[in-house]
Amino acid sequence: QMVNVTDDNTLDMNDEISIQAWVNTSSLAGGYIVAKGATGDYQYGLRYANGNVTMTLWTAVGGNHLNILSNTTINDGNWHHIVGVGKNNSYVKIYIDGVLKGESTVTAGLWNINGAEDLHIGGVNSFTGEVDEVGIWNKSLSASEVIDLYNSGDGLPFGGADLITLLSPIDGTTISDIGDNFTVEGSNLSDLSGTWNNLTYNIWQNG
């Protein structure tokens, strides 16, 4: 079965793009997991063939491809997290299960940002398998953001500030000016431990 998303200007990417999908397949048959376009007016997509996934961007002139192939097969019947990342005139990357598995420098110029065809999930060339949690961003996700997505198990929004809650010391506690520990919890953070730099906190002085 195919999910079709009607073409919209918000699906046209300019200088950066990231595409995510969770994929489960045991087939070697080729097909597009996600693709913008279908009949000669392609823009971008995640393409599957022979157990590997390729992040593909089409250039604005001549229909040439900007490809990066993963070096890890995923046709083992388990769920795998796929993220393709592109930045114009810079790089194309592909991550499998939170790990960078391919990277290539992009020098061919703009990809095709003006395609008028729809976005297809699982339908172009009939991908064989299951697809879930598809996400597309008009930014190049960082490695830490990709890891956060993988560890979360679903699609998280990016772009806002991380939410951090102070657990200790509690409000009203008197602290010294040096050497005090703070305990926090938060969402969308890959690692809450370690040293925090440039930390800002407020101090109120009685009297």
Side-chain angles (χ1 to χ4, degrees), residues 29-52:
Y32 280 94
I33 300 166
V34 182
K36 178 70 164 64
T39 57
D41 191 21
Y42 290 106
Q43 291 178 261
Y44 51 80
L46 294 175
R47 180 162 52 95
Y48 174 82
N50 298 318
N52 290 280

Side-chain angles (χ1 to χ4, degrees), residues 92-110:
V92 179
K93 301 178 181 180
I94 189 161
Y95 296 83
I96 307 293
D97 296 332
V99 179
L100 180 65
K101 292 296 184 179
E103 181 176 4
S104 180
T105 301
V106 174
T107 59
L110 285 170

Side-chain angles (χ1 to χ4, degrees), residues 162-195:
D162 294 324
L163 298 178
I164 301 173
T165 302
L166 178 66
L167 299 181
S168 67
I170 62 174
D171 288 344
T173 300
T174 301
I175 62 174
S176 65
D177 58 348
I178 58 173
D180 286 282
N181 295 319
F182 295 82
T183 303
V184 300
E185 66 178 4
S187 60
N188 192 21
L189 297 174
S190 60
D191 187 3
L192 288 173
S193 65
T195 301

Side-chain angles (χ1 to χ4, degrees), residues 131-205:
V131 181
D132 196 12
E133 300 294 347
V134 172
I136 300 174
W137 293 263
N138 61 350
K139 64 167 288 185
S140 174
L141 295 179
S142 68
S144 63
E145 289 173 325
V146 171
I147 291 172
D148 284 338
L149 281 170
Y150 172 61
N151 288 332
S152 75
D154 55 17
L156 293 176
F158 283 103
D162 294 324
L163 298 178
I164 301 173
T165 302
L166 178 66
L167 299 181
S168 67
I170 62 174
D171 288 344
T173 300
T174 301
I175 62 174
S176 65
D177 58 348
I178 58 173
D180 286 282
N181 295 319
F182 295 82
T183 303
V184 300
E185 66 178 4
S187 60
N188 192 21
L189 297 174
S190 60
D191 187 3
L192 288 173
S193 65
T195 301
W196 288 27
N197 296 317
N198 301 320
L199 178 66
T200 300
Y201 58 92
N202 297 313
I203 297 176
W204 287 264
Q205 181 176 2

Side-chain angles (χ1 to χ4, degrees), residues 108-144:
L110 285 170
W111 51 73
N112 180 15
I113 63 172
N114 297 313
E117 296 203 26
D118 295 343
L119 177 76
H120 307 282
I121 301 173
V124 180
N125 297 331
S126 299
F127 170 74
T128 302
E130 298 176 279
V131 181
D132 196 12
E133 300 294 347
V134 172
I136 300 174
W137 293 263
N138 61 350
K139 64 167 288 185
S140 174
L141 295 179
S142 68
S144 63

